[in-house]
Amino acid sequence: MAMSGLAAFSVLVIVLMTSACVAAFPELRRRPIPRWRLAVPSLLIAAATLVLLYLPPSNDLREPQVWMMALVAAVLGLARGTLIGLQVDQGAGRLLLSRAPEGFWIAVAAALLVAGDLVAEPLGHVGASFSKTVELALAILASFLIGRNMTLVMRSRDTPHRDL
């Protein structure tokens, strides 16, 4: 019974990460995207990360070292968000990001980390240290992306209108 529950959570995490990659793909094409589109990959990766942090072997969301590294990554994401060139069509609520493909690549890296963790666990029981490393990396990637996208959304509200 417990194993089927873990399998269901594993499928949920895979679906969330795949959805995050699909949602972040339009950022890679350098075309105008709706403002709301920036929130979707961040939320999906954060949800998948929280599910993985809750699953064994850690089973505990109160690990201060993970949250401290996530906080540092969020601050770096905020800084990155301020450096990205941004054009906004205020009427349509669309954004054009200049030289900012990392949103998609962060989603891909997070999905590959999850796939590696899920494949390595059944094959050889790599152990808690590998899973903890993946959880830390996912927390860092999710926090960076959340900080970056939150900054972009906030900046887009005050950026002068430009037809896109």
Side-chain angles (χ1 to χ4, degrees), residues 21 27 35 66 100 107 116 120 130 136-137 142 150 156 159 164:
C21 290
E27 289 183 41
R35 186 177 285 137
V66 171
F130 180 71
L136 177 64
M150 185 176 66
S156 72
T159 303
L164 298 178

Side-chain angles (χ1 to χ4, degrees), residues 113-149:
L113 280 170
V114 167
D117 187 33
L118 295 177
V119 167
E121 189 66 31
L123 289 181
H125 288 288
V126 173
S129 65
F130 180 71
S131 294
K132 294 242 184 228
T133 304
V134 168
E135 291 168 0
L136 177 64
L138 287 174
I140 289 170
L141 291 173
S143 297
F144 180 86
L145 192 62
I146 289 168
R148 171 192 174 262
N149 289 353

Side-chain angles (χ1 to χ4, degrees), residues 36-58:
W36 61 266
R37 192 88 179 195
L38 288 174
V40 175
S42 303
L43 293 174
L44 291 171
I45 291 174
T49 301
L50 288 174
V51 168
L52 280 179
L53 284 172
Y54 184 69
L55 291 177
S58 67

Side-chain angles (χ1 to χ4, degrees), residues 104-117:
F104 173 74
W105 294 115
I106 287 173
V108 169
L112 290 175
L113 280 170
V114 167
D117 187 33

Side-chain angles (χ1 to χ4, degrees), residues 80-106:
R80 175 60 181 143
T82 61
L83 299 175
I84 294 174
L86 183 65
Q87 298 174 5
V88 181
D89 185 342
Q90 296 290 359
R94 299 177 73 74
L95 314 170
L96 181 61
L97 308 177
S98 301
R99 293 172 288 183
E102 69 268 4
F104 173 74
W105 294 115
I106 287 173

